[in-house]
Amino acid sequence: MEAKLLLCAVTVALSVAVALLSAMKIDALTCFLSLFTIVIERSFTLGRTAQRNMDSVLPLVKNTIPPLTSKKHKGQDGRIGVIGGCQEYTGAPYFAAISALKVGADLSHVFCTKDAATVIKSYSPELIVHPVLDSPNAVEEIEKWLPRLHSLVVGPGLGREDVILKEVIEKSKSRGIPIVIDADGLWLIAKDPSLIQFYQRGILTPNFMEFTRLYEAMHHRPLDSTDLKSCAQQLSLAMGNVTIVLKGEEDIITDGNRVLSCIHSGSGRRCGGQGDLLSGSLGVFAHWAVSSTPDATKGMNPTLVAAFAATSLTRQCNRQAFDRHGRATTTSDMIQEICTAFRKLFES
Ligand SMILES: *[C@@H]1O[C@H](CO)[C@@H](O)[C@H](O)[C@H]1NC(C)=O
């Protein structure tokens, strides 16, 4: 609110300045100032659109969150599988899996390589860790768990295990569960988009670099970075309406039909691992949203609602952690904020 008033005041002040200066016929300066005014107005409009999204989508998110009751049995609020974790990367799958758990999943599984498993287990006794990714029958080992999983997060700290991934993604699609693909998982999709194309419960969470690679793989031309919203929409359409979450200063979320923007809160501090909080929490929100009645999301695509929930939660965690730790903010600090950030956004 204060920011809006300030923007208004600045805009008015600049318009007055423009009027005065043009009366004095200082053309170049006038031109510069008018441009400046336009820029200010544009960022004001951007803020308004994002605020409208916040006002209209947050209530839908709330409708999809299962109430905490003692009547349910363990596992009903979500069993999430994270595929990733190799010798070099053990943090990413841990962050994704623990975030899923803290957002409200009952169980969080990690499928990783043997040498990553002990490390990940030692970070947390709360996760179920399967040292299967480098075993000769990896696909069967993962497949036998699929009937018990409600959604899958593919990619955090994965390394490039394409053959296994292809089969696991195919099998998960046939079970109809949401599949969130991030990081190295996106590298595979850029090589073979047909793997996820047309899967309505597929969600890709690229950063700008990964987005560029995907876009160029689908469109065979460089992207126009001055209009990322429309590029994201084009990419989603080309991929058969999978949901795209383009992470950045402004998070852009689209299913080819609607485009949502999230600039909620956040800070200037971005730390490695923040994307894992996003993908892990998205795994849970996606399960909740697709298993809600269509009425809960008022006809809006449930994966869009889930993606908006995960981006706003991640940004809220970032803000709160930044308020406490400033430039020393890390992903672990953000994860500690999940409880209060969740309450602030979705339970008030
Ligand atoms: C994707 O969305 C667009 C825009 O709403 C729609 O015209 C198109 O039919 C959709 N494609 C698929 C494969 O659902």
Side-chain angles (χ1 to χ4, degrees):
M1 209 52 225
E2 281 157 16
K4 277 187 185 174
L5 281 176
L6 188 66
L7 277 177
C8 255
V10 172
T11 313
V12 169
L14 281 170
S15 314
V16 171
V18 169
L20 282 176
L21 285 167
S22 51
M24 297 188 318
K25 295 198 167 43
I26 307 177
D27 287 344
L29 205 55
T30 309
C31 183
F32 170 76
L33 279 174
S34 320
L35 265 175
F36 194 65
T37 312
I38 290 169
V39 169
I40 294 267
E41 272 169 6
R42 270 199 59 161
S43 63
F44 189 37
T45 319
L46 173 73
R48 261 195 319 227
T49 312
Q51 187 57 46
R52 262 207 307 275
N53 289 165
M54 224 36 208
D55 296 341
S56 59
V57 188
L58 274 195
L60 308 183
V61 175
K62 291 181 188 174
N63 292 343
T64 69
I65 298 172
L68 297 172
T69 77
S70 53
K71 296 202 178 55
K72 286 181 289 191
H73 56 82
K74 188 168 74 176
Q76 225 170 316
D77 284 339
R79 292 181 298 259
I80 311 302
V82 175
I83 301 191
C86 56
Q87 195 184 15
E88 296 90 333
Y89 304 109
T90 53
Y94 162 75
F95 289 141
I98 200 79
S99 299
L101 208 52
K102 287 193 179 254
V103 161
D106 296 303
L107 292 172
S108 209
H109 294 254
V110 178
F111 300 88
C112 59
T113 63
K114 210 175 196 147
D115 44 12
T118 328
V119 182
I120 297 173
K121 276 184 194 163
S122 72
Y123 294 153
S124 163
E126 271 117 352
L127 306 176
I128 304 163
V129 184
H130 308 268
V132 298
L133 267 191
D134 49 356
S135 89
N137 50 347
V139 177
E140 292 77 49
E141 293 283 349
I142 300 174
E143 198 188 345
K144 80 180 181 217
W145 284 94
L146 284 183
R148 280 177 267 183
L149 298 179
H150 295 112
S151 71
L152 212 56
V153 179
V154 178
L158 183 69
R160 297 185 171 174
E161 308 268 355
D162 22 346
V163 185
I164 301 171
L165 269 200
K166 271 187 192 166
E167 290 194 44
V168 172
I169 290 177
E170 290 297 351
K171 302 230 152 85
S172 307
K173 284 199 299 195
S174 67
R175 305 200 72 89
I177 61 175
I179 308 176
V180 179
I181 304 186
D182 190 33
D184 275 333
L186 293 171
W187 176 81
L188 178 67
I189 298 298
K191 271 203 330 186
D192 184 1
S194 68
L195 249 178
I196 198 75
Q197 217 168 5
F198 301 109
Y199 186 56
Q200 301 306 305
R201 293 179 174 178
I203 309 172
L204 312 183
T205 55
N207 59 25
F208 182 73
M209 284 296 293
E210 292 156 344
F211 178 78
T212 307
R213 202 180 307 137
L214 282 167
Y215 185 93
E216 290 177 1
M218 290 307 294
H219 295 281
H220 307 289
R221 58 180 146 85
L223 73 108
D224 168 15
S225 59
T226 60
D227 193 358
L228 287 177
K229 278 200 176 112
S230 122
C231 289
Q233 195 169 17
Q234 286 164 29
L235 178 63
S236 172
L237 285 173
M239 305 263 325
N241 301 60
V242 298
T243 294
I244 309 272
V245 182
L246 169 54
K247 301 175 286 191
E249 205 179 323
E250 173 190 15
D251 294 320
I252 297 170
I253 304 162
T254 179
D255 60 352
N257 179 18
R258 301 186 65 148
V259 183
L260 302 177
S261 148
C262 185
I263 54 169
H264 171 72
S265 214
S267 77
R269 168 79 175 133
R270 226 164 288 152
C271 45
Q274 173 166 333
D276 306 313
L277 197 168
L278 176 75
S279 63
S281 59
L282 183 46
V284 185
F285 284 119
H287 160 55
W288 290 345
V290 305
S291 48
S292 295
T293 60
D295 202 38
T297 54
K298 303 233 161 35
M300 186 182 276
N301 183 343
T303 55
L304 272 192
V305 175
F308 192 83
T311 54
S312 41
L313 180 71
T314 305
R315 300 176 78 101
Q316 180 68 34
C317 288
N318 178 290
R319 180 73 239 177
Q320 291 181 196
F322 185 77
D323 287 345
R324 279 183 213 269
H325 306 280
R327 67 163 51 251
T329 300
T330 61
T331 302
S332 301
D333 299 324
M334 288 175 56
I335 288 171
Q336 284 191 11
E337 301 294 331
I338 289 177
C339 172
T340 46
F342 192 101
R343 196 177 291 147
K344 185 166 194 292
L345 283 170
F346 310 125
E347 293 176 327
S348 59

